[in-house]
C-alpha cells in the first residue's frame, strides 16, 4: 500500500519564483543589499497601508523587536507577562535587563487574564507585556485600564496577530507598542523577519536608531542598540508575499470552519471560538483534549497522530516557567499558574495553511476520532 504524504502543522506562504527572480536581479544589479534600501522602504510603506498603521519599523526577525520595544520605553524593574507563549517573549525581558513576572491566563483564549494582573503589580513594575495568543486579541480595554491606573506601559506581543482587527480597527493600535513576527511559520512571512509598531514619528526614529546600533550618523552613536535590520532580499520577498495574504486568510477561514464542523462530533475536544466583532487571521487551530472525556491524553494523541504522518504541535508546551532560567522565580510556581499549567497539558495545534486540502482535513479529524476511546 502506498504511504500517505505527511501533513505538517504549517507550510510557508511562498510567492511564485518567476515573480521573485526579477526582484533578485534588480537587487543584484543595484548592489544595495541592506541598510534601508529601496525594497525595505517599499515594504514598510506597504505594510503600513495594509495593516492600517502610521508607523512601522522592519526587523530581521520577530525577537529583536521585543527587545527593542523594551529599550525604547526605557523600562526598569519588573514586567508582567504570560507563561503561555513562545520563549522569545520572556527572553527579551531578561535580555533587556528586566525581570519577568508571570501571571495566569484566561481558560478560553489562553491570553493573559486581566483579573490576575493587579495582584502581581509591585513598586518595581514598569510594564505589562501580554501576547495575542493564536492571533486572538487580548482584553485590551481591561489591560489599558489597569495600566493607566498604575502608570504602566503596555507592549503587545502580536507575533500571531497579523491583520487582526477589532471593530474594523487594527489590533496594532492598542498599547504603547506592538511587535510582529514574519517567520516562515506565520500567516505572513518574509522568510525570517518582524516589525515594531509605534504611534508617532519621534518614537519610530528612536526605534530605527536602536535597531542600527544606536548610530545617528557616520561618527555618532547615542544609544546602546543592536543590529536588527532587514535585508533587501527578504524585503522583496515580503512585498510579493503580502499580495497573497487576503486570499490565504480566506482559505484558512474555510479550513477552520471545516475543522470545527467535524470536531463538534468528538466528545472531549474543544477549540477556541471566534471572538465577537473581530476579523481573525486563523493563524493557528489549537484544540484542547480532556483526557477524562476523550479517553486518552494529549500526548498519547500527539504521538499516535505522528505515526500516521500527521505532525501537529504542542504549542505552547512546556510552559516558559518550566525552563531552568525561570522555574525558580516566585511567580513561576505551578500553583500560581493553574490555568496555564492545564492548557499546556491539553493543547495541540492541528495543521493549518492556505493550501491544506479538504481531504487532508478530513483525514486528520478521522484519525483523531478513531483514537478517542470514548468518541
Amino acid at each position: 500500500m502506498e504511504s500517505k504524504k505527511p501533513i505538517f502543522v504549517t507550510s510557508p506562504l511562498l510567492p511564485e519564483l518567476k515573480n521573485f527572480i526579477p526582484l533578485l536581479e534588480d537587487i543584484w544589479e543595484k548592489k544595495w543589499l541592506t541598510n534601508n534600501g529601496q525594497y525595505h522602504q517599499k515594504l514598510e510603506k506597504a505594510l503600513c497601508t495594509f495593516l492600517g498603521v502610521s508607523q512601522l519599523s522592519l526587523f530581521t526577525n520577530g525577537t529583536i523587536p521585543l527587545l527593542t520595544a523594551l529599550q525604547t520605553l526605557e523600562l526598569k524593574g519588573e514586567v508582567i507577562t504570560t507563561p503561555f507563549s513562545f520563549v522569545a517573549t520572556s527572553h527579551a525581558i531578561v535580555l533587556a535587563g528586566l525581570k519577568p513576572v508571570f501571571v495566569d491566563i484566561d481558560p478560553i483564549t489562553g491570553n493573559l487574564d486581566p483579573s490576575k494582573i493587579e495582584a502581581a503589580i509591585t513598586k518595581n513594575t514598569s510594564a505589562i507585556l501580554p501576547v495575542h495568543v493564536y492571533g486572538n486579541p487580548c482584553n485590551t480595554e481591561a489591560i489599558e485600564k489597569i495600566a493607566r491606573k498604575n502608570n504602566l506601559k503596555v507592549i503587545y506581543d502580536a507575533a500571531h496577530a497579523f491583520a487582526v482587527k477589532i471593530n474594523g480597527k487594527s489590533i496594532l493600535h492598542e498599547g504603547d507598542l506592538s511587535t510582529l513576527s514574519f517567520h516562515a511559520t506565520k500567516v505572513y512571512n518574509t522568510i525570517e523577519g518582524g516589525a515594531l509598531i509605534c504611534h508617532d514619528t519621534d518614537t519610530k526614529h528612536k526605534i530605527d536608531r536602536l535597531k542600527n546600533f544606536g548610530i545617528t550618523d557616520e561618527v555618532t552613536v547615542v544609544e546602546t542598540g543592536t543590529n536588527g535590520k532587514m535585508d533587501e532580499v527578504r524585503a522583496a520577498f515580503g512585498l510579493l508575499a503580502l499580495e497573497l495574504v487576503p486570499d490565504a486568510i480566506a482559505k484558512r477561514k474555510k479550513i477552520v470552519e471545516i475543522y470545527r464542523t467535524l470536531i463538534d462530533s468528538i466528545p472531549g475536544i474543544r477549540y477556541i471560538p471566534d471572538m465577537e466583532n473581530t476579523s481573525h487571521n486563523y493563524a493557528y487551530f489549537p484544540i484542547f483534549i480532556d483526557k477524562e472525556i476523550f479517553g486518552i491524553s494529549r500526548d498519547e494523541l500527539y504521538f499516535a497522530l505522528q505515526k500516521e504522518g500527521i505532525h501537529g504541535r504542542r504549542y505552547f508546551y512546556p510552559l516558559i516557567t518550566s525552563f531552568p532560567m525561570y522555574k525558580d522565580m516566585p511567580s513561576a510556581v505551578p500553583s500560581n499558574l493553574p490555568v496555564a499549567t492545564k492548557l499546556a497539558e491539553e493543547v495541540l495545534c492541528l495543521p493549518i495553511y492556505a493550501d491544506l486540502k479538504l481531504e487532508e482535513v478530513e483525514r486528520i479529524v478521522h484519525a483523531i476520532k478513531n483514537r478517542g476511546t470514548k468518541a
Side-chain angles (χ1 to χ4, degrees):
M1 178 182 291
E2 182 180 351
S3 61
K4 293 180 179 178
K5 180 182 176 182
I7 306 173
F8 294 95
V9 73
T10 191
S11 179
L13 192 62
L14 295 172
E16 290 192 36
L17 187 59
K18 67 180 181 180
N19 295 331
F20 190 34
I21 288 176
L23 303 189
L24 291 176
E25 290 174 339
D26 185 52
I27 293 168
W28 194 269
E29 178 67 25
K30 287 184 171 63
K31 297 182 175 60
W32 191 321
L33 301 181
T34 187
N35 285 6
N36 200 34
Q38 66 164 336
Y39 289 104
H40 179 285
Q41 294 178 44
K42 287 179 180 179
L43 182 56
E44 280 198 347
K45 291 177 182 177
L47 285 168
C48 282
T49 299
F50 186 92
L51 297 170
V53 298
S54 61
Q55 308 293 334
L56 178 147
S57 296
L58 284 174
F59 281 78
T60 190
N61 58 46
T63 301
I64 298 179
L66 285 165
L67 173 59
T68 303
L70 295 159
Q71 292 178 314
T72 298
L73 298 179
E74 300 179 0
L75 302 176
K76 295 181 180 179
E78 299 172 349
V79 176
I80 292 172
T81 192
T82 173
F84 196 68
S85 179
F86 186 61
V87 76
T89 306
S90 54
H91 277 3
I93 295 171
V94 174
L95 290 170
L98 302 161
K99 179 183 177 181
V101 174
F102 298 101
V103 164
D104 210 3
I105 61 176
D106 180 88
I108 303 300
T109 65
N111 289 332
L112 197 65
D113 186 344
S115 70
K116 306 293 175 61
I117 292 175
E118 288 205 82
I121 296 173
T122 72
K123 64 180 181 180
N124 298 317
T125 307
S126 60
I128 308 169
L129 204 173
V131 179
H132 300 302
V133 177
Y134 310 127
N136 295 306
C138 295
N139 185 341
T140 57
E141 184 176 348
I143 291 170
E144 179 64 23
K145 184 177 179 180
I146 293 167
R148 285 199 305 267
K149 177 182 175 182
N150 294 278
N151 194 29
L152 303 177
K153 300 293 186 181
V154 180
I155 300 169
Y156 283 104
D157 182 338
H160 298 173
F162 188 85
V164 173
K165 297 179 180 180
I166 298 179
N167 294 319
K169 180 182 177 183
S170 172
I171 193 69
L172 302 174
H173 287 282
E174 303 297 333
D176 294 280
L177 299 168
S178 291
T179 70
L180 290 169
S181 171
F182 302 152
H183 186 266
T185 57
K186 299 298 188 286
V187 169
Y188 166 75
N189 81 95
T190 58
I191 306 173
E192 278 273 13
L196 179 50
I197 292 86
C198 63
H199 310 309
D200 63 86
T201 55
D202 287 345
T203 303
K204 176 171 167 55
H205 290 156
K206 183 172 185 177
I207 290 167
D208 288 343
R209 284 197 306 272
L210 283 167
K211 76 172 185 181
N212 188 32
F213 307 101
I215 294 171
T216 57
D217 60 43
E218 187 178 357
V219 295
T220 309
V221 179
V222 298
E223 296 176 275
T224 308
T226 187
N227 184 9
K229 303 184 299 294
M230 179 181 284
D231 60 78
E232 285 291 88
V233 173
R234 282 181 288 169
F237 181 100
L239 280 167
L240 294 177
L242 189 59
E243 298 173 1
L244 307 177
V245 171
D247 182 61
I249 292 177
K251 289 178 178 178
R252 284 171 172 268
K253 181 179 181 180
K254 290 180 180 179
I255 292 166
V256 165
E257 289 170 348
I258 296 167
Y259 264 136
R260 288 173 174 171
T261 298
L262 297 175
I263 285 173
D264 279 340
S265 65
I266 306 177
I269 293 183
R270 75 167 179 91
Y271 49 79
I272 301 173
D274 280 354
M275 301 174 70
E276 289 186 6
N277 305 315
T278 301
S279 300
H280 290 273
N281 65 6
Y282 305 97
Y284 297 88
F285 187 72
I287 59 172
F288 300 87
I289 294 90
D290 185 327
K291 179 182 178 179
E292 298 304 314
I293 299 175
F294 184 65
I296 62 173
S297 70
R298 184 277 311 280
D299 282 352
E300 290 173 309
L301 177 61
Y302 170 73
F303 289 113
L305 293 177
Q306 282 194 340
K307 291 179 180 178
E308 298 190 36
I310 299 167
H311 300 272
R313 185 177 180 187
R314 295 171 292 180
Y315 195 59
F316 301 98
Y317 169 85
L319 284 180
I320 289 173
T321 44
S322 70
F323 296 128
M325 64 288 298
Y326 301 111
K327 66 182 181 64
D328 294 328
M329 293 180 174
S331 64
V333 296
S335 60
N336 185 53
L337 307 165
V339 177
T341 300
K342 182 175 185 290
L343 293 193
E345 294 292 337
E346 294 180 345
V347 68
L348 180 62
C349 286
L350 300 182
I352 181 167
Y353 42 91
D355 54 354
L356 187 66
K357 303 293 188 293
L358 170 60
E359 56 267 26
E360 292 173 322
V361 176
E362 291 175 339
R363 174 189 158 197
I364 292 164
V365 179
H366 183 72
I368 293 170
K369 190 170 186 177
N370 282 349
R371 290 291 173 174
T373 61
K374 299 180 182 179

